[in-house]
Amino acid sequence: MSDPTSKSGIFGEFREFIARGNVIDLAVGVIIGAAFNDIVKSLVDNVVMPPIGLLLSGIDFAKLQWVLKPDDPLTKANELVAIQYGLFLNTVIKFVIVAWVVFLMVKGVNAIRRRDAQQVEEKPPSAPPPQELLLIEIRDLLQSGTATTAAKPRATT
């Protein structure tokens, strides 16, 4: 039986998996996304749809439906079968709002990245360290040939 606290055990592997940064980022994103979904639902249901319904003669989109089989009032069971296209329209509007907000967020992040990239490109290159300068001088002397004549061994006669 493996030790649950060891790195090779299943719990150790799970702890290592959870401790990765991208998993935690994903969890935070899911939680924020769920909260954002509630905000968008409230925005659509309570702010966007009432004026649209008023403009369309007081239509409540949430109640729009095509009844395929009406409910029989004589029975206790709900027998209504309907296509609720009004709820579908509300969901489409919510999606468009979420997509617009995500688009604006991505556009903002891309603008920040482009600005940061331009700032990096506009920076003048830093001077090389002194060791590189010395090596460059030595290379240039060797290429010019002045160092080769001084370093040639003299012939003895």
Side-chain angles (χ1 to χ4, degrees):
M1 186 170 220
S2 66
D3 180 18
T5 59
S6 73
K7 288 278 186 192
S8 62
I10 188 82
F11 293 111
E13 288 180 36
F14 180 69
R15 183 181 60 207
E16 189 177 315
F17 170 75
I18 291 297
R20 291 183 185 158
N22 51 1
V23 173
I24 303 232
D25 293 342
L26 177 63
V28 169
V30 167
I31 292 168
I32 296 294
F36 186 69
N37 183 40
D38 292 341
I39 291 170
V40 170
K41 179 177 177 11
S42 176
L43 175 70
V44 170
D45 292 343
N46 302 323
V47 177
V48 174
M49 295 313 287
I52 291 175
L54 182 64
L55 289 172
L56 298 173
S57 304
I59 296 174
D60 182 7
F61 279 90
K63 295 181 182 176
L64 293 177
Q65 59 186 0
W66 284 314
V67 177
L68 301 175
K69 179 182 176 191
D71 188 23
D72 185 4
L74 300 176
T75 62
K76 290 184 180 181
N78 184 7
E79 298 170 344
L80 176 69
V81 177
I83 298 172
Q84 298 178 335
Y85 66 91
L87 292 175
F88 177 73
L89 288 173
N90 280 350
T91 304
V92 168
I93 292 171
K94 288 176 198 173
F95 171 77
V96 169
I97 291 173
V98 170
W100 179 252
V101 169
V102 169
F103 168 74
L104 292 176
M105 288 173 49
V106 168
K107 185 176 177 166
V109 168
N110 286 342
I112 290 170
R113 286 183 179 169
R114 279 192 297 270
R115 185 191 60 191
D116 290 347
Q118 285 176 348
Q119 287 176 352
V120 168
E121 289 174 4
E122 292 172 1
K123 253 186 184 177
S126 59
Q131 302 94 326
E132 286 185 30
L133 289 174
L134 183 61
L135 288 171
I136 290 170
E137 283 183 41
I138 293 170
R139 181 200 64 201
D140 292 343
L141 284 173
L142 288 172
Q143 286 178 347
S144 68
T146 57
T148 57
T149 58
K152 282 185 183 177
R154 294 185 186 178
T156 53
T157 54

